[in-house]
Amino acid sequence: MNNAQPLELLKQARAQFSQREIAEQVGKNPKTIRRWEKGETPCPVMLGSALRVMLREPEAPRYEPGTNRIRFVDLFAGIGGIRMGFEAQGGDCVFTSEWNNFSKKTYVLNFGERHPFVGDIMPFPAEDIPDHDVLLAGFPCQPFSIAGVSKKNSLGRPHGFECTTQGTLFFDVARIIATKRPKAFLLENVKNLLSHDKGNTFEVILHTLRNELKYDVHYRVIDGQHFTPQHRERIIIVGFREKTDFSWNDLRLPEKAPRLESILHKTDGTEPFLPWDQDRFFDHDKKIIQPKYTLTPRLWSYLQAYAEKHRAAGNGFGFGLVYPDSVTRTLSARYYKDGSEILVWQGDKKRPRRLTPRECARLMGFPDSFRIPVSDTQAYRQFGNSVVMPVMKEVARIMAPHVHTMIEEGRTGVAQFSLFA
Ligand SMILES: C[S@@+](CC[C@H](N)C(=O)[O-])C[C@H]1O[C@@H](n2cnc3c(N)ncnc32)[C@H](O)[C@@H]1O
């Protein structure tokens, strides 16, 4: 809970908002805000709740006996895409782990820091993690993704489980499940996890979850394009401590995929003005996307030449031009480099442009209220690493009744045991 006094909250709010914006929110004159800030007049106690709304930090949830809100932990949290899916089902985060400071900045601004937030999960003792009902982990996909594997191969390094750092992170997840025995878990990764090392990697994962940890495990590849105009296939693995009648048939995946135009900035005067973005991505006066997102002549020539070279050699590489009725390729964490996988066509007379970070947020299904406090480079990396949030929301929706049943039945779980004994 944010127990800070009104003046402290005012200082926090001023890091993000102008005196005028705060004045509008609390129904006062900007001069009054300045007097409060300078300590010329004391901040009224009532100011606190209005500022908490601005800081998007609701009162911390209370756990009354008999309530069945789902408590979850958010591991490899990134910017909280999976978290948002579970919050939509009435879940409360009780612990987060994310070691990247830029991602942490985005995460904390959007969700607050009302619970323990730790960096590296590897050395963190599992028994110090608060009790929880559901464990969420979008563990890093680099060792399993095609790009990750080929990069590591080219560097002569091992990949997957052989890789001593990233690949073993699954076992950190397993270690925590073994110790904390949550009622359920949701793990997310690239689709390529299924075929990595001829299927051996996935077999080890399933064996660990089913045979060692004794969970009822279900998995499925889901394409984000049911919800947003992006082809993004990810494997979702869910597990329950008890046998359930969980079924993927309960998923509601909209048939008609939305098209790119639904997430692009609107140049017809209807683009909303977001106080937290101001004109960073879109010039509201001129009604244009900021020119810096249009490719430089040099980069555009390079990309065309590169694509032509590969086309001549019979390879499928190249840039991905997209139009208002397109569904894009997968947004990658490397989008900031040249943005070649998704280039927005701007007419024959203009060079194409990249998506803005706000458009990337929309492409991942994040609401416009989501704040982007980091540089474009970091923002592209963060969204490219994240999840199509509505997919998570839908999976959380079909998991929730089973978790609620287990909470209500008050099952306490079986004795803890060591995975590696
Ligand atoms: C694939 S991303 C997950 C993104 C997340 N699902 C989201 O919605 O943004 C994996 C994240 O794990 C973090 N990470 C990698 N190794 C870690 C470690 N040892 N401890 C904590 N975080 C780690 C990375 O910084 C990255 O943000």
Side-chain angles (χ1 to χ4, degrees):
M1 180 162 31
N2 194 333
N3 282 322
Q5 297 300 312
L7 183 57
E8 179 54 32
L9 284 169
L10 181 59
K11 283 185 190 152
Q12 289 174 23
R14 282 288 285 123
Q16 299 167 44
F17 302 99
S18 65
Q19 287 172 340
R20 177 172 301 281
E21 286 165 352
I22 295 173
E24 273 167 21
Q25 171 78 14
V26 303
K28 295 280 179 193
N29 189 300
K31 283 186 192 153
T32 311
I33 309 297
R34 200 183 59 230
R35 279 198 293 273
W36 287 342
E37 217 183 336
K38 287 190 159 179
E40 290 170 1
T41 48
C43 281
V45 177
M46 280 174 56
L47 185 67
S49 56
L51 290 177
R52 269 185 209 101
V53 172
M54 276 193 109
L55 291 164
R56 297 164 45 78
E57 199 165 0
E59 293 294 315
R62 282 188 212 94
Y63 298 105
E64 309 287 354
T67 62
N68 62 357
R69 288 182 71 86
I70 296 172
R71 288 169 304 164
F72 63 82
V73 294
D74 197 10
L75 308 182
F76 309 103
I79 53 171
I82 307 183
R83 169 183 179 140
M84 269 193 273
F86 267 80
E87 282 186 330
Q89 302 306 326
D92 298 312
C93 188
V94 294
F95 176 87
T96 298
S97 163
E98 170 55 57
W99 72 2
N100 180 286
N101 281 334
F102 296 108
S103 299
K104 180 176 181 183
K105 184 171 180 188
T106 304
Y107 190 102
V108 169
L109 178 62
N110 283 283
F111 303 107
E113 208 175 355
R114 293 175 289 142
H115 52 67
F117 192 125
V118 306
D120 190 355
I121 197 65
M122 282 196 282
F124 196 81
E127 42 299 346
D128 290 351
I129 296 177
D131 292 342
H132 51 276
D133 303 310
V134 182
L135 174 146
L136 308 177
F139 59 105
C141 52
Q142 286 88 336
F144 306 118
S145 70
I146 293 167
V149 169
S150 55
K151 194 166 156 229
K152 283 195 188 296
N153 279 345
S154 70
L155 295 172
R157 286 208 230 124
H159 55 264
F161 287 134
E162 295 164 50
C163 175
T164 47
T165 51
Q166 298 278 328
T168 56
L169 289 171
F170 167 73
F171 288 113
D172 282 283
V173 173
R175 164 177 73 88
I176 294 165
I177 295 175
T179 307
K180 300 303 296 188
R181 304 293 294 161
K183 296 176 181 67
F185 59 74
L186 182 160
L187 314 181
E188 183 263 355
N189 212 288
V190 292
K191 180 191 171 189
N192 194 39
L193 179 62
L194 279 172
S195 54
H196 179 262
D197 189 21
K198 302 194 186 85
N200 287 333
T201 301
F202 194 64
E203 208 171 287
V204 172
I205 289 179
L206 275 189
H207 179 85
T208 306
L209 297 173
R210 284 183 173 150
N211 302 29
E212 310 281 328
L213 294 169
K214 309 269 186 246
Y215 274 66
D216 175 28
V217 179
H218 309 254
Y219 63 90
R220 173 160 170 164
V221 172
I222 303 181
D223 191 340
Q225 73 167 296
H226 289 283
F227 299 94
T228 73
Q230 180 188 184
H231 175 56
R232 189 182 188 92
E233 291 184 301
R234 290 293 183 263
I235 182 163
I236 313 286
I237 309 169
V238 304
F240 297 92
R241 202 179 59 198
E242 325 282 335
K243 185 95 188 106
T244 66
D245 56 358
F246 174 89
S247 165
W248 291 113
N249 292 337
D250 293 335
L251 274 185
R252 286 191 221 130
L253 300 178
E255 284 290 321
K256 205 168 172 316
R259 298 291 147 167
L260 186 69
E261 64 188 344
S262 63
I263 63 107
L264 297 179
H265 293 293
K266 294 185 175 50
T267 49
D268 62 359
T270 58
E271 177 66 23
F273 181 80
L274 306 174
W276 36 92
D277 285 355
Q278 300 276 329
D279 282 348
R280 174 174 167 190
F281 310 120
F282 186 81
D283 184 327
H284 289 78
D285 284 341
K286 296 188 187 147
K287 300 189 184 51
I288 55 165
I289 286 95
Q290 292 291 7
K292 65 175 173 176
Y293 297 104
T294 293
L295 297 193
T296 59
R298 196 184 151 90
L299 180 55
W300 181 221
S301 302
Y302 167 79
L303 288 176
Q304 284 173 301
Y306 183 82
E308 179 52 34
K309 198 173 106 191
H310 280 284
R311 203 192 53 75
N315 296 331
F317 294 109
F319 50 84
L321 262 193
V322 289
Y323 306 87
D325 65 346
S326 298
V327 168
T328 71
R329 296 182 190 175
T330 305
L331 179 75
S332 82
R334 297 176 301 279
Y335 189 64
Y336 69 90
K337 289 204 168 146
D338 56 24
S340 63
E341 70 260 34
I342 308 174
L343 292 178
V344 185
W345 183 76
Q346 300 195 93
D348 288 333
K349 296 208 178 76
K350 229 179 148 189
R351 294 182 302 278
R353 68 171 177 89
R354 291 160 207 242
L355 295 169
T356 70
R358 175 55 66 198
E359 288 170 327
C360 290
R362 293 172 180 168
L363 195 62
M364 302 304 286
F366 282 53
D368 275 358
S369 53
F370 195 82
R371 312 285 169 86
I372 306 173
V374 290
S375 67
D376 284 6
T377 300
Q378 290 300 333
Y380 286 133
R381 206 187 49 71
Q382 293 176 4
F383 289 117
N385 259 333
S386 188
V387 290
V388 172
M389 192 276 280
V391 170
M392 296 302 138
K393 201 168 156 184
E394 182 53 17
V395 174
R397 187 187 68 76
I398 65 170
M399 287 180 74
H402 304 286
V403 179
H404 280 140
T405 304
M406 292 167 78
I407 294 173
E408 277 155 26
E409 289 177 1
R411 297 177 187 172
T412 49
V414 291
Q416 296 177 4
F417 59 95
S418 166
L419 237 193
F420 308 106

